[in-house]
Amino acid sequence: SGGSGLENAVSRTELINAILITLFNRAQNDEGKSNQLTLIATGGFGRGLLNPKSDVDLLFLTRKASEKLSKTTEQSIHQTLYPLWDLGLDVGYAVRSHGEMMKHGKIDPHAKTSLLESRHIAGPQAPFAQLKERFTRSLVKQRREEFVSERLEAMAQRHSKYGSTVFLQEPQIKEGPGGLRDFHHLLWFTFASQGTLDASALVEAGTLTKRSYQA
């Protein structure tokens, strides 16, 4: 209906969110394991901006280690995922416990940024809140220099792959220099330095001009 790209991305997020809540709650009620799983959105879906053709990235946070899940818990996960695939959606998902997420975050830099922008969808909220607080404190805030170095290295590799300049006739608008992923890095660097994903905090800190922030 003529809505902007942002409006469409938000609306798409809300639609998929509603579908997921319905599927997840139905699966949990069927299996009688309502306290064993928490469903979490990550990536662009976690940011609440889901573009057409974007992956729906999910984390099933479990009480037990993933290799020790009961059959009923596994069935709950399958009953949530299968209809999404039947709809033709590209779904990226992980099944991990609190401890597994902490361990994974230490060896996978992408996991740190993914959980930074994650949000609760369904299931008990307390396990998610506890994980996110501990994860960001121990793997981002207390290791700030390591986190920033990892991100700068990733940016340099990405820029090299996609031309190392913004002056291209056909730029890669997501991964190329000055593209969407660079904007995400601005938010992640803001979190590392200011403890928030709101880049306006950089204006208050004197790191970014108001004009640059608006741009």
Side-chain angles (χ1 to χ4, degrees):
S1 300
S4 70
L6 281 174
E7 289 174 323
N8 276 278
V10 170
S11 295
R12 186 174 177 81
T13 300
E14 293 172 348
L15 173 62
I16 301 301
N17 217 61
I19 292 172
L20 274 166
I21 291 172
T22 299
L23 292 173
F24 182 84
N25 288 339
R26 185 178 66 182
Q28 291 290 78
N29 290 335
D30 287 348
E31 301 301 333
K33 294 289 182 180
S34 59
N35 293 320
Q36 299 300 311
L37 287 172
T38 299
L39 184 59
I40 299 167
T42 62
F45 188 40
R47 284 189 294 272
L49 295 171
L50 190 64
N51 284 299
K53 305 296 183 180
S54 288
D55 291 350
V56 178
D57 292 321
L58 303 171
L59 168 64
F60 291 89
L61 183 62
T62 62
R63 285 190 175 185
K64 297 181 180 179
S66 55
E67 70 272 10
K68 296 181 180 180
L69 298 181
S70 67
K71 288 185 178 180
T72 53
T73 300
E74 290 180 346
Q75 288 172 354
S76 294
I77 295 172
H78 294 162
Q79 288 179 8
T80 303
L81 291 173
Y82 287 170
L84 300 177
W85 289 325
D86 291 340
L87 287 170
L89 296 174
D90 292 322
V91 182
Y93 75 97
V95 181
R96 294 192 179 98
S97 66
H98 188 128
E100 288 173 325
M101 278 301 300
M102 294 300 298
K103 183 177 181 180
H104 183 65
K106 291 178 181 179
I107 60 176
D108 183 3
H110 176 70
K112 298 176 185 177
T113 56
S114 180
L115 201 62
L116 268 184
E117 299 177 306
S118 60
R119 60 181 175 80
H120 173 266
I121 298 178
Q125 192 160 0
F128 167 62
Q130 293 166 2
L131 170 64
K132 191 167 185 178
E133 193 280 329
R134 183 185 173 196
F135 196 96
T136 55
R137 184 184 72 250
S138 63
L139 296 181
V140 179
K141 295 178 181 178
Q142 293 179 358
R143 300 187 181 186
R144 187 172 300 158
E145 291 185 6
E146 177 183 326
F147 174 78
V148 171
S149 294
E150 289 172 347
R151 291 295 91 216
L152 287 173
E153 182 179 353
M155 285 181 69
Q157 292 175 352
R158 191 163 39 75
H159 288 177
S160 177
K161 180 178 179 179
Y162 292 106
S164 297
T165 177
V166 297
F167 299 105
L168 296 174
Q169 288 186 332
E170 296 183 2
Q172 220 289 359
I173 60 172
K174 180 177 181 181
E175 302 289 353
L180 184 61
R181 190 64 75 203
D182 278 0
F183 175 70
H184 294 156
H185 271 73
L186 174 66
L187 302 182
W188 298 333
F189 290 145
T190 303
F191 187 88
S193 65
Q194 306 297 324
T196 176
L197 288 167
D198 183 356
S200 65
L202 295 179
V203 178
E204 297 177 11
T207 308
L208 195 66
T209 66
K210 186 174 181 180
R211 183 176 180 179
S212 293
Y213 168 70
Q214 290 172 338

